[in-house]
mmCIF file of all heavy atoms in Angstrom:
data_model
loop_
_atom_site.group_PDB
_atom_site.id
_atom_site.type_symbol
_atom_site.label_atom_id
_atom_site.label_comp_id
_atom_site.label_asym_id
_atom_site.label_seq_id
_atom_site.Cartn_x
_atom_site.Cartn_y
_atom_site.Cartn_z
ATOM 1 N N ARG A 4 -24.328 -9.158 -3.791
ATOM 2 C CA ARG A 4 -23.937 -10.059 -4.870
ATOM 3 C C ARG A 4 -22.512 -10.550 -4.677
ATOM 4 O O ARG A 4 -22.057 -11.398 -5.436
ATOM 5 C CB ARG A 4 -24.117 -9.360 -6.220
ATOM 6 C CG ARG A 4 -23.339 -8.137 -6.366
ATOM 7 C CD ARG A 4 -23.780 -7.146 -7.421
ATOM 8 N NE ARG A 4 -23.278 -5.863 -7.002
ATOM 9 C CZ ARG A 4 -22.000 -5.500 -7.092
ATOM 10 N NH1 ARG A 4 -21.110 -6.285 -7.654
ATOM 11 N NH2 ARG A 4 -21.613 -4.340 -6.622
ATOM 12 N N SER A 6 -19.135 -11.988 -2.206
ATOM 13 C CA SER A 6 -18.759 -12.661 -0.954
ATOM 14 C C SER A 6 -17.266 -12.460 -0.716
ATOM 15 O O SER A 6 -16.492 -12.272 -1.654
ATOM 16 C CB SER A 6 -19.113 -14.152 -1.023
ATOM 17 O OG SER A 6 -18.463 -14.756 -2.105
ATOM 18 N N PRO A 8 -13.414 -12.774 -0.354
ATOM 19 C CA PRO A 8 -12.712 -11.519 -0.021
ATOM 20 C C PRO A 8 -13.205 -10.283 -0.768
ATOM 21 O O PRO A 8 -12.569 -9.241 -0.645
ATOM 22 C CB PRO A 8 -11.261 -11.837 -0.396
ATOM 23 C CG PRO A 8 -11.377 -12.803 -1.517
ATOM 24 C CD PRO A 8 -12.580 -13.645 -1.206
ATOM 25 N N LEU A 10 -16.255 -7.308 -1.464
ATOM 26 C CA LEU A 10 -17.205 -6.643 -0.584
ATOM 27 C C LEU A 10 -17.835 -5.450 -1.300
ATOM 28 O O LEU A 10 -17.129 -4.642 -1.907
ATOM 29 C CB LEU A 10 -16.460 -6.151 0.665
ATOM 30 C CG LEU A 10 -17.255 -5.412 1.733
ATOM 31 C CD1 LEU A 10 -18.192 -6.365 2.470
ATOM 32 C CD2 LEU A 10 -16.301 -4.752 2.742
ATOM 33 N N PRO A 12 -19.299 -2.052 -0.508
ATOM 34 C CA PRO A 12 -19.305 -1.136 0.648
ATOM 35 C C PRO A 12 -20.711 -0.773 1.139
ATOM 36 O O PRO A 12 -20.873 -0.449 2.316
ATOM 37 C CB PRO A 12 -18.567 0.101 0.117
ATOM 38 C CG PRO A 12 -17.616 -0.450 -0.888
ATOM 39 C CD PRO A 12 -18.397 -1.550 -1.576
ATOM 40 N N GLN A 47 -5.770 -6.190 9.162
ATOM 41 C CA GLN A 47 -5.302 -5.765 10.482
ATOM 42 C C GLN A 47 -4.139 -4.789 10.428
ATOM 43 O O GLN A 47 -3.957 -4.001 11.347
ATOM 44 C CB GLN A 47 -4.879 -6.999 11.293
ATOM 45 C CG GLN A 47 -6.031 -7.965 11.526
ATOM 46 C CD GLN A 47 -5.714 -8.986 12.590
ATOM 47 O OE1 GLN A 47 -4.706 -9.689 12.491
ATOM 48 N NE2 GLN A 47 -6.554 -9.065 13.607
ATOM 49 N N ASN A 48 -3.327 -4.850 9.374
ATOM 50 C CA ASN A 48 -2.107 -4.039 9.348
ATOM 51 C C ASN A 48 -2.376 -2.570 9.019
ATOM 52 O O ASN A 48 -1.575 -1.701 9.340
ATOM 53 C CB ASN A 48 -1.111 -4.594 8.334
ATOM 54 C CG ASN A 48 -0.685 -6.004 8.691
ATOM 55 O OD1 ASN A 48 -0.857 -6.448 9.826
ATOM 56 N ND2 ASN A 48 -0.153 -6.732 7.715
ATOM 57 N N PHE A 49 -3.491 -2.327 8.343
ATOM 58 C CA PHE A 49 -3.884 -0.941 8.081
ATOM 59 C C PHE A 49 -5.404 -0.878 8.050
ATOM 60 O O PHE A 49 -6.086 -1.878 7.866
ATOM 61 C CB PHE A 49 -3.272 -0.401 6.782
ATOM 62 C CG PHE A 49 -3.530 -1.220 5.547
ATOM 63 C CD1 PHE A 49 -4.684 -1.027 4.792
ATOM 64 C CD2 PHE A 49 -2.618 -2.182 5.136
ATOM 65 C CE1 PHE A 49 -4.915 -1.776 3.648
ATOM 66 C CE2 PHE A 49 -2.840 -2.949 3.983
ATOM 67 C CZ PHE A 49 -3.995 -2.745 3.242
ATOM 68 N N ARG A 70 4.105 8.119 13.933
ATOM 69 C CA ARG A 70 4.642 6.893 13.358
ATOM 70 C C ARG A 70 3.838 6.345 12.191
ATOM 71 O O ARG A 70 4.325 5.494 11.449
ATOM 72 C CB ARG A 70 4.723 5.800 14.441
ATOM 73 C CG ARG A 70 5.680 6.165 15.582
ATOM 74 C CD ARG A 70 6.213 4.913 16.249
ATOM 75 N NE ARG A 70 6.931 4.070 15.319
ATOM 76 C CZ ARG A 70 7.197 2.782 15.516
ATOM 77 N NH1 ARG A 70 6.796 2.186 16.615
ATOM 78 N NH2 ARG A 70 7.856 2.072 14.612
ATOM 79 N N ASP A 72 1.596 6.472 8.663
ATOM 80 C CA ASP A 72 1.322 7.187 7.420
ATOM 81 C C ASP A 72 -0.188 7.260 7.184
ATOM 82 O O ASP A 72 -0.933 6.366 7.595
ATOM 83 C CB ASP A 72 1.936 6.438 6.226
ATOM 84 C CG ASP A 72 3.438 6.558 6.124
ATOM 85 O OD1 ASP A 72 4.029 7.447 6.768
ATOM 86 O OD2 ASP A 72 4.035 5.746 5.382
ATOM 87 N N TYR A 76 -7.916 9.563 -0.869
ATOM 88 C CA TYR A 76 -8.203 9.603 -2.307
ATOM 89 C C TYR A 76 -9.657 10.048 -2.465
ATOM 90 O O TYR A 76 -10.568 9.407 -1.926
ATOM 91 C CB TYR A 76 -8.005 8.225 -2.934
ATOM 92 C CG TYR A 76 -8.177 8.201 -4.433
ATOM 93 C CD1 TYR A 76 -7.073 8.324 -5.272
ATOM 94 C CD2 TYR A 76 -9.431 8.050 -5.011
ATOM 95 C CE1 TYR A 76 -7.225 8.307 -6.659
ATOM 96 C CE2 TYR A 76 -9.594 8.038 -6.388
ATOM 97 C CZ TYR A 76 -8.479 8.161 -7.203
ATOM 98 O OH TYR A 76 -8.635 8.142 -8.581
ATOM 99 N N GLN A 91 -5.957 23.935 -0.061
ATOM 100 C CA GLN A 91 -6.010 23.502 -1.453
ATOM 101 C C GLN A 91 -7.320 22.758 -1.663
ATOM 102 O O GLN A 91 -7.785 22.062 -0.770
ATOM 103 C CB GLN A 91 -4.871 22.531 -1.780
ATOM 104 C CG GLN A 91 -3.488 23.062 -1.567
ATOM 105 C CD GLN A 91 -2.424 22.041 -2.003
ATOM 106 O OE1 GLN A 91 -2.263 21.747 -3.175
ATOM 107 N NE2 GLN A 91 -1.704 21.501 -1.036
ATOM 108 N N GLY A 96 -10.632 12.127 -7.850
ATOM 109 C CA GLY A 96 -9.439 11.663 -8.556
ATOM 110 C C GLY A 96 -8.150 12.218 -7.986
ATOM 111 O O GLY A 96 -7.074 11.729 -8.310
ATOM 112 N N ASP A 97 -8.221 13.225 -7.128
ATOM 113 C CA ASP A 97 -7.023 13.754 -6.463
ATOM 114 C C ASP A 97 -6.740 12.952 -5.195
ATOM 115 O O ASP A 97 -7.628 12.307 -4.632
ATOM 116 C CB ASP A 97 -7.211 15.223 -6.079
ATOM 117 C CG ASP A 97 -7.247 16.154 -7.279
ATOM 118 O OD1 ASP A 97 -6.663 15.799 -8.320
ATOM 119 O OD2 ASP A 97 -7.857 17.236 -7.165
ATOM 120 N N CYS A 98 -5.503 13.019 -4.735
ATOM 121 C CA CYS A 98 -5.148 12.316 -3.509
ATOM 122 C C CYS A 98 -4.225 13.184 -2.662
ATOM 123 O O CYS A 98 -3.783 14.263 -3.086
ATOM 124 C CB CYS A 98 -4.491 10.968 -3.827
ATOM 125 S SG CYS A 98 -2.938 11.078 -4.732
ATOM 126 N N ALA A 99 -3.966 12.727 -1.456
ATOM 127 C CA ALA A 99 -3.023 13.412 -0.572
ATOM 128 C C ALA A 99 -2.418 12.382 0.361
ATOM 129 O O ALA A 99 -3.014 11.334 0.624
ATOM 130 C CB ALA A 99 -3.718 14.516 0.223
ATOM 131 N N GLY A 100 -1.215 12.681 0.858
ATOM 132 C CA GLY A 100 -0.532 11.732 1.736
ATOM 133 C C GLY A 100 0.197 12.464 2.837
ATOM 134 O O GLY A 100 0.772 13.541 2.605
ATOM 135 N N ASP A 126 -1.937 3.213 8.505
ATOM 136 C CA ASP A 126 -1.407 1.956 9.038
ATOM 137 C C ASP A 126 -1.574 1.928 10.546
ATOM 138 O O ASP A 126 -2.123 2.859 11.154
ATOM 139 C CB ASP A 126 0.052 1.761 8.614
ATOM 140 C CG ASP A 126 0.971 2.768 9.240
ATOM 141 O OD1 ASP A 126 1.341 2.590 10.408
ATOM 142 O OD2 ASP A 126 1.315 3.763 8.555
ATOM 143 N N ARG B 4 -2.039 21.826 -10.416
ATOM 144 C CA ARG B 4 -2.656 22.844 -9.558
ATOM 145 C C ARG B 4 -2.445 22.519 -8.090
ATOM 146 O O ARG B 4 -2.797 23.311 -7.232
ATOM 147 C CB ARG B 4 -4.143 22.965 -9.891
ATOM 148 C CG ARG B 4 -4.897 21.734 -9.688
ATOM 149 C CD ARG B 4 -6.208 21.632 -10.469
ATOM 150 N NE ARG B 4 -6.467 20.237 -10.656
ATOM 151 C CZ ARG B 4 -6.851 19.423 -9.671
ATOM 152 N NH1 ARG B 4 -7.076 19.877 -8.468
ATOM 153 N NH2 ARG B 4 -7.011 18.136 -9.890
ATOM 154 N N LEU B 5 -1.878 21.337 -7.777
ATOM 155 C CA LEU B 5 -1.731 20.910 -6.389
ATOM 156 C C LEU B 5 -0.272 20.858 -5.984
ATOM 157 O O LEU B 5 0.606 20.657 -6.815
ATOM 158 C CB LEU B 5 -2.356 19.523 -6.198
ATOM 159 C CG LEU B 5 -3.854 19.413 -6.488
ATOM 160 C CD1 LEU B 5 -4.321 17.971 -6.382
ATOM 161 C CD2 LEU B 5 -4.653 20.310 -5.545
ATOM 162 N N SER B 6 -0.023 21.018 -4.690
ATOM 163 C CA SER B 6 1.340 20.811 -4.185
ATOM 164 C C SER B 6 1.278 19.896 -2.971
ATOM 165 O O SER B 6 0.264 19.838 -2.272
ATOM 166 C CB SER B 6 1.989 22.151 -3.835
ATOM 167 O OG SER B 6 1.217 22.839 -2.877
ATOM 168 N N PRO B 8 1.247 18.292 0.568
ATOM 169 C CA PRO B 8 0.907 16.865 0.581
ATOM 170 C C PRO B 8 -0.238 16.440 -0.320
ATOM 171 O O PRO B 8 -0.667 15.297 -0.240
ATOM 172 C CB PRO B 8 0.538 16.633 2.053
ATOM 173 C CG PRO B 8 -0.032 17.933 2.505
ATOM 174 C CD PRO B 8 0.772 18.985 1.780
ATOM 175 N N LEU B 10 -1.775 15.768 -4.306
ATOM 176 C CA LEU B 10 -1.169 15.270 -5.540
ATOM 177 C C LEU B 10 -2.257 14.937 -6.553
ATOM 178 O O LEU B 10 -3.251 14.281 -6.220
ATOM 179 C CB LEU B 10 -0.366 13.997 -5.212
ATOM 180 C CG LEU B 10 0.350 13.294 -6.351
ATOM 181 C CD1 LEU B 10 1.536 14.127 -6.831
ATOM 182 C CD2 LEU B 10 0.831 11.914 -5.903
ATOM 183 N N PRO B 12 -2.876 12.579 -9.461
ATOM 184 C CA PRO B 12 -2.256 11.356 -9.986
ATOM 185 C C PRO B 12 -1.798 11.476 -11.444
ATOM 186 O O PRO B 12 -0.873 10.764 -11.849
ATOM 187 C CB PRO B 12 -3.360 10.305 -9.831
ATOM 188 C CG PRO B 12 -4.128 10.764 -8.632
ATOM 189 C CD PRO B 12 -4.158 12.274 -8.766
ATOM 190 N N GLN B 47 5.882 5.547 3.505
ATOM 191 C CA GLN B 47 6.809 4.421 3.587
ATOM 192 C C GLN B 47 6.188 3.172 4.194
ATOM 193 O O GLN B 47 6.643 2.062 3.939
ATOM 194 C CB GLN B 47 8.028 4.815 4.428
ATOM 195 C CG GLN B 47 8.802 5.974 3.807
ATOM 196 C CD GLN B 47 10.155 6.163 4.450
ATOM 197 O OE1 GLN B 47 10.249 6.326 5.659
ATOM 198 N NE2 GLN B 47 11.200 6.130 3.654
ATOM 199 N N ASN B 48 5.170 3.322 5.051
ATOM 200 C CA ASN B 48 4.632 2.164 5.767
ATOM 201 C C ASN B 48 3.735 1.284 4.911
ATOM 202 O O ASN B 48 3.527 0.116 5.218
ATOM 203 C CB ASN B 48 3.853 2.615 7.002
ATOM 204 C CG ASN B 48 4.733 3.374 7.974
ATOM 205 O OD1 ASN B 48 5.960 3.264 7.934
ATOM 206 N ND2 ASN B 48 4.122 4.158 8.849
ATOM 207 N N ARG B 70 2.599 -12.080 5.440
ATOM 208 C CA ARG B 70 2.572 -11.091 6.519
ATOM 209 C C ARG B 70 1.870 -9.792 6.149
ATOM 210 O O ARG B 70 1.520 -9.006 7.022
ATOM 211 C CB ARG B 70 4.010 -10.756 6.965
ATOM 212 C CG ARG B 70 4.754 -11.971 7.525
ATOM 213 C CD ARG B 70 5.816 -11.525 8.509
ATOM 214 N NE ARG B 70 5.254 -10.764 9.606
ATOM 215 C CZ ARG B 70 5.942 -9.948 10.413
ATOM 216 N NH1 ARG B 70 7.244 -9.804 10.232
ATOM 217 N NH2 ARG B 70 5.360 -9.290 11.391
ATOM 218 N N ASP B 72 -1.057 -7.342 4.447
ATOM 219 C CA ASP B 72 -2.444 -7.223 4.007
ATOM 220 C C ASP B 72 -2.488 -6.516 2.646
ATOM 221 O O ASP B 72 -1.646 -5.665 2.354
ATOM 222 C CB ASP B 72 -3.258 -6.376 4.991
ATOM 223 C CG ASP B 72 -3.588 -7.091 6.288
ATOM 224 O OD1 ASP B 72 -3.479 -8.333 6.352
ATOM 225 O OD2 ASP B 72 -3.973 -6.399 7.251
ATOM 226 N N GLN B 91 -15.554 -13.715 -9.238
ATOM 227 C CA GLN B 91 -16.605 -12.741 -8.956
ATOM 228 C C GLN B 91 -16.305 -11.487 -9.761
ATOM 229 O O GLN B 91 -15.141 -11.143 -9.974
ATOM 230 C CB GLN B 91 -16.608 -12.326 -7.479
ATOM 231 C CG GLN B 91 -16.820 -13.450 -6.497
ATOM 232 C CD GLN B 91 -16.870 -12.937 -5.058
ATOM 233 O OE1 GLN B 91 -17.800 -12.255 -4.671
ATOM 234 N NE2 GLN B 91 -15.858 -13.264 -4.284
ATOM 235 N N GLY B 96 -16.704 1.017 -7.359
ATOM 236 C CA GLY B 96 -17.274 1.159 -6.021
ATOM 237 C C GLY B 96 -17.166 -0.095 -5.183
ATOM 238 O O GLY B 96 -17.369 -0.045 -3.977
ATOM 239 N N ASP B 97 -16.852 -1.228 -5.780
ATOM 240 C CA ASP B 97 -16.631 -2.461 -5.010
ATOM 241 C C ASP B 97 -15.187 -2.521 -4.535
ATOM 242 O O ASP B 97 -14.296 -1.876 -5.092
ATOM 243 C CB ASP B 97 -16.910 -3.702 -5.873
ATOM 244 C CG ASP B 97 -18.387 -3.867 -6.203
ATOM 245 O OD1 ASP B 97 -19.231 -3.389 -5.425
ATOM 246 O OD2 ASP B 97 -18.682 -4.474 -7.245
ATOM 247 N N CYS B 98 -14.966 -3.326 -3.503
ATOM 248 C CA CYS B 98 -13.611 -3.485 -2.991
ATOM 249 C C CYS B 98 -13.351 -4.945 -2.651
ATOM 250 O O CYS B 98 -14.252 -5.789 -2.703
ATOM 251 C CB CYS B 98 -13.377 -2.589 -1.778
ATOM 252 S SG CYS B 98 -14.416 -2.945 -0.353
ATOM 253 N N ALA B 99 -12.111 -5.247 -2.313
ATOM 254 C CA ALA B 99 -11.742 -6.591 -1.873
ATOM 255 C C ALA B 99 -10.531 -6.476 -0.959
ATOM 256 O O ALA B 99 -9.768 -5.502 -1.052
ATOM 257 C CB ALA B 99 -11.423 -7.494 -3.067
ATOM 258 N N GLY B 100 -10.378 -7.445 -0.065
ATOM 259 C CA GLY B 100 -9.254 -7.408 0.862
ATOM 260 C C GLY B 100 -8.690 -8.791 1.076
ATOM 261 O O GLY B 100 -9.429 -9.777 1.120
ATOM 262 N N ASP B 126 0.677 -3.173 2.778
ATOM 263 C CA ASP B 126 1.637 -2.658 3.753
ATOM 264 C C ASP B 126 3.019 -3.241 3.468
ATOM 265 O O ASP B 126 3.206 -3.998 2.501
ATOM 266 C CB ASP B 126 1.168 -2.959 5.180
ATOM 267 C CG ASP B 126 1.156 -4.437 5.490
ATOM 268 O OD1 ASP B 126 2.241 -4.980 5.801
ATOM 269 O OD2 ASP B 126 0.074 -5.051 5.406
#
Side-chain angles (χ1 to χ4, degrees):
Chain A
R4 59 200 156 75
S6 58
L10 180 71
Q47 298 194 305
N48 298 342
F49 54 87
R70 297 206 60 199
D72 286 344
Y76 184 95
Q91 301 183 68
D97 290 334
C98 63
D126 67 80
Chain B
R4 60 202 154 72
L5 299 175
S6 58
L10 180 70
Q47 298 193 304
N48 299 340
R70 298 207 58 199
D72 286 343
Q91 301 182 69
D97 291 334
C98 63
D126 66 81

